[in-house]
Amino acid sequence: RPKDLIRAFRRAPEYKALVEAYRRLVDDVARRIVGEDVAFQCPPTLRLHAPGPRPLGRRHKDADYPGHQGDEINFWLPLTPAFGTNSLYVESSPGAADFRPLDL
């Protein structure tokens, strides 16, 4: 069952190390950039994406979903090279609808 897999994953020492590294990242990077105390999601959301010609979902902004506030800041940390169809697409400004991939 999926819930059992998630529980087992979260009990693993590697997962605990990942969460600790994430907390250090927030402390060492995000708080310095924002310049104040921050509230952050923990555990982090991990998303895996495969390259391909079609997106897996529709283009959206987090503010489209309940529970997200307009003053949220997202930090995106790709673990592999990101470009073209295997990247995050962003607008030049909110509502511009000129989505382009971030090539990193």
Side-chain angles (χ1 to χ4, degrees), residues 58-73:
R58 67 175 181 79
R59 291 179 179 156
H60 71 278
K61 57 186 177 293
D62 286 351
D64 293 340
Y65 298 97
H68 288 277
Q69 300 174 2
D71 56 351
E72 286 182 3
I73 300 171

Side-chain angles (χ1 to χ4, degrees), residues 19-61:
V19 170
E20 277 306 309
Y22 170 68
R23 287 181 183 274
R24 284 193 310 275
L25 179 70
V26 169
D27 283 338
D28 295 345
V29 178
R31 290 183 201 265
R32 288 182 188 173
I33 292 170
V34 175
E36 57 188 65
D37 285 338
V38 296
F40 61 96
Q41 177 183 333
C42 193
T45 298
L46 302 175
R47 293 187 179 99
L48 305 175
H49 297 272
R54 291 190 196 159
L56 298 176
R58 67 175 181 79
R59 291 179 179 156
H60 71 278
K61 57 186 177 293

Side-chain angles (χ1 to χ4, degrees), residues 48-57 59 81 83-89 101:
L48 305 175
H49 297 272
R54 291 190 196 159
L56 298 176
R59 291 179 179 156
F83 55 91
T85 61
N86 72 334
S87 188
L88 178 68
Y89 279 61

Side-chain angles (χ1 to χ4, degrees), residues 10-11 23 26 30 39 41 47 67 71 79 90 94 96-97 100 102:
R10 288 186 175 168
R11 281 192 302 265
R23 287 181 183 274
V26 169
Q41 177 183 333
R47 293 187 179 99
D71 56 351
L79 301 178
V90 297
R100 298 280 184 254
L102 293 175

